[in-house]
Amino acid sequence: MNLTQARAALEAAPRVAVLTGAGISAESGIPTFRDAQTGHWERFRPQDLASPEAYQRDPQMVWAWYAGRYRDVLAAQTNPGHRLLVELERQKGAGFFLATQNVDGLHARAGSGTHGGRLIELHGNLMTARDEQTGQIVPLPAPDALQLPPLSPSGNRMRPNIVWFGEYLPEAALSAAQQAFQTADVALIIGTSGQVYPAAGLALEAMKAGATVIELNPNTTELTPLISFSLRETAGRGLALLLGREEEGGYAQHV
Ligand code: APR
C-alpha cells in the first residue's frame, strides 16, 4: 500500500477508528511517556509514580507529580494533529471514533467528540480527580487554588482520575473502543509505541477484522510489522499528508 492508496481508503471509509498516544501531544511540548523524564522527575520512572502502590506509599509525592503535569498541560496548546483529527471527525460524523491513551485533555480541548463522533479517554485525564470513598469524579480547581491532596465536596481525599499500572480500564470505555475497532473500515494508530495493553490491542482487533490499519510515527514500533501502511512521519505532518493537506514528496515510508 502507498500513500495515495492509504489516502483513498481513508476518504472512502464510512467508519474510522483512531488510537492516539503521547506522540500526538509531543508537538504541543508534552514529553512522551518513554522519553527521558524532564526536570525534577529525572530520577523517577513514570511506572514508579503511576501506580496504586506508589500512591499508597506516598500520596503527597504522587500528587505533586500529577499537579505538575496538570499545570503543564493547561499551559500547552493543541497542535495541527489534534485539529486535523477534528476535521476528520467533521467529515465522518457518527462514523468517527477516537480512543486516546493520553490524559492531557488536548483532544477534548480541540473539540474531538463534539462533531458527531466519539472521544474516549482510555486512561482518564489530569483535569479531574476521584473521591476515594464514593468514586465521584470531580473537576480540579485551577492549579494555584489546588490543595494537595484535594478533597471532594463530601470532604473525602481524592486520587488522580488516571488508570494506573496494574489497574483495569473502565469496562464500558474499553468495550466501546473494541467495538469501534472491530467494525472500522480504516484504523489510524498515531503516536503510540504500542507497548501497553489493552489499548495497543485495539490495532490488532482492527487488523483481525480486516480493516486497513495506518500507523503515523517517526519511529517504527512493535505494531509496525502488522500494519497495512506505516508512515515514518509526525502526527501533524502525517495527518496532513493523509488528508491531502500537504503535497507528497519528502516523506519516509515503511514498505
Ligand atoms: N508524532 C507522532 N509520534 C511521535 C512523535 C510525533 N511528533 N514524537 C514521538 N512519537 C512517538 C514515539 O516514536 C513513540 O512511539 O510517540 C510514541 C510515544 O510512545 P510512549 O512514550 O510509549 O507513549 P504511549 O505509547 O502513549 O504510552 C502508552 O503507556 O505509560 C503508559 O499509560 C501510559 O498512556 C501511556 C501508555
Side-chain angles (χ1 to χ4, degrees):
M1 176 169 262
N2 63 28
L3 176 63
T4 307
Q5 291 164 325
R7 193 183 286 165
L10 180 60
E11 197 168 341
R15 288 180 305 261
V16 176
V18 183
L19 173 68
T20 62
I24 197 165
S25 292
E27 293 162 82
S28 295
I30 296 173
T32 60
F33 218 83
R34 286 169 180 76
D35 283 350
Q37 280 296 320
T38 48
H40 175 55
W41 300 105
E42 263 156 10
R43 63 186 191 286
F44 291 90
R45 283 185 330 136
Q47 289 83 324
D48 299 334
L49 286 160
S51 72
E53 298 73 22
Y55 183 67
Q56 210 59 42
R57 209 174 32 247
D58 190 344
Q60 206 60 21
M61 180 188 69
V62 171
W63 259 117
W65 185 53
Y66 279 101
R69 292 177 63 192
Y70 171 50
R71 200 173 298 114
D72 293 347
V73 299
L74 287 189
Q77 307 294 325
T78 58
N79 67 57
H82 299 115
R83 293 193 286 274
L84 284 166
L85 284 180
V86 174
E87 185 173 326
L88 181 58
E89 178 180 349
R90 280 206 186 90
Q91 292 171 17
K92 303 297 178 182
F96 181 89
F97 189 100
L98 169 55
T100 186
Q101 301 171 88
N102 299 341
V103 295
D104 57 34
L106 291 180
H107 283 304
R109 200 172 333 152
S112 286
T114 64
H115 297 277
R118 272 196 78 182
L119 165 64
I120 295 260
E121 294 174 324
L122 293 171
H123 294 167
N125 70 61
L126 292 165
M127 276 52 70
T128 55
R130 194 160 80 223
D131 182 315
E132 291 182 39
Q133 313 303 324
T134 66
Q136 183 193 6
I137 308 282
V138 179
L140 286 176
D144 50 9
L146 182 59
Q147 305 288 323
L148 298 182
L151 301 182
S152 72
S154 332
N156 301 321
R157 187 175 74 173
M158 295 202 288
R159 54 161 278 177
N161 182 27
I162 300 283
V163 178
W164 280 331
F165 286 97
E167 293 186 324
Y168 289 99
L169 276 67
E171 187 44 44
L174 182 57
S175 54
Q178 282 164 335
Q179 164 79 15
F181 280 79
Q182 286 160 0
T183 55
D185 304 287
V186 166
L188 304 182
I189 311 301
I190 305 175
T192 181
S193 60
Q195 294 179 45
V196 170
Y197 285 75
L202 295 170
L204 308 181
E205 303 260 5
M207 291 297 290
K208 259 190 326 213
T212 298
V213 184
I214 300 167
E215 179 181 47
L216 300 181
N217 195 317
N219 305 306
T220 55
T221 68
E222 298 180 4
L223 297 171
T224 301
L226 312 171
I227 298 270
S228 324
F229 178 67
S230 187
L231 205 47
R232 289 286 74 70
E233 275 298 344
T234 60
R237 181 160 150 70
L239 280 164
L241 286 167
L242 274 180
L243 293 175
R245 292 287 171 289
E246 272 202 21
E247 285 324 303
E248 299 185 33
Y251 70 88
Q253 156 185 357
H254 172 81
V255 286

